[in-house]
Amino acid sequence: MQSRTPVGRAGRPRSAAADTAILAATREALVELGWSKLTLGDVATRAGVAKTTLYRRWAGKNELVVDAVAELFAALELPDRGSLAADIEGVVLQFAAILALPEARSGLMAVIAESTRDEALRARIRSSIVEPQKHLVLEGRSRAQARGELPPESGSEHATRTADLIFDIVAGAVVHRSLVSAEPVDTQWTQAFTRLLLNGLSAATTI
């Protein structure tokens, strides 16, 4: 599991307890109030801290919400279930369970919508939510190679491009299924998706 501490401004040492309380309060406010009505003042009250404490850590609401959502996805882990297919199924189901949380749905959809008008916010989403989770692909590939399920990569640049593509395929499919189509990511769908991922279009006739 990867943990992420928001980058603060220079000054007094950060309080991990305050960070935890603030991020939890942000997610609570997202569920109860929605993006448009959420304010840093309300989050500060819920977290039991001064508003200045928030502004020392986050420049504004966008950055705060991204970090609050990122903390949820930091809990993702790649289970060792004995095979590449089983490992993929395990992490997909974990990912879908996180997306099913009201605070994850509200926060992720809100920051994605806002990021269409804000390049800095898009960059923060990439650095805080997307990039930290790519280790799951690298870990899964390395484990599968050690088992003899996958061949070694031909070079580091190719390996990086492949890992990025795999991540985009998995994350894109699960996010679309969960949040856009609003269809269940259950065991049956996950197994069919994993077969397609591993075997390509030749597996489509068996789905």
Side-chain angles (χ1 to χ4, degrees):
M1 178 178 70
Q2 288 195 345
S3 60
R4 183 179 181 282
T5 301
V7 177
R9 303 174 186 179
R12 70 183 67 178
R14 295 288 296 268
S15 165
D19 287 344
T20 298
I22 291 166
L23 295 176
T26 301
R27 293 190 293 269
E28 177 184 282
L30 274 170
V31 175
E32 292 185 15
L33 303 176
W35 170 271
S36 62
K37 294 182 179 179
L38 184 149
T39 66
L40 267 64
D42 180 74
V43 170
T45 299
R46 291 168 185 262
V49 300
K51 189 188 296 188
T52 53
T53 301
L54 269 72
Y55 282 109
R56 282 198 299 269
R57 290 159 163 77
W58 291 276
K61 182 165 75 171
N62 289 354
E63 294 81 3
L64 175 60
V65 172
V66 169
D67 285 356
V69 173
E71 190 173 61
L72 294 174
F73 292 111
L76 274 170
E77 294 182 332
L78 184 70
D80 189 347
R81 301 172 71 178
S83 72
L84 178 58
D87 291 354
I88 293 171
E89 290 166 13
V91 78
V92 165
L93 290 170
Q94 279 186 55
F95 185 29
I98 292 173
L99 291 175
L101 298 172
E103 57 268 39
R105 291 200 305 270
S106 300
L108 189 60
M109 295 294 272
V111 294
I112 289 174
E114 288 296 312
S115 73
T116 62
R117 301 182 294 273
D118 187 338
E119 175 56 37
L121 181 56
R122 284 199 296 273
R124 192 174 183 99
I125 291 170
R126 287 193 298 269
S127 64
S128 299
I129 298 176
V130 177
E131 293 298 330
Q133 301 314 318
K134 289 186 178 180
H135 78 97
L136 297 168
V137 175
L138 301 176
E139 182 182 345
R141 182 172 62 193
S142 177
R143 186 186 294 166
Q145 288 170 340
R147 293 186 186 123
E149 295 176 288
L150 291 176
E153 293 292 332
S154 58
S156 58
E157 184 177 347
H158 178 266
T160 299
R161 288 200 307 268
T162 303
D164 287 348
L165 179 58
I166 292 169
F167 180 87
D168 288 345
I169 291 170
V170 175
V174 179
V175 168
H176 189 280
R177 175 83 176 176
S178 299
L179 301 185
V180 179
S181 298
E183 296 288 345
V185 178
D186 53 20
T187 300
Q188 183 179 4
W189 183 90
T190 300
Q191 289 174 345
F193 169 72
T194 301
R195 287 197 301 272
L196 185 61
L197 178 66
L198 294 179
N199 301 313
L201 291 177
S202 62
T205 56
T206 65
I207 294 175

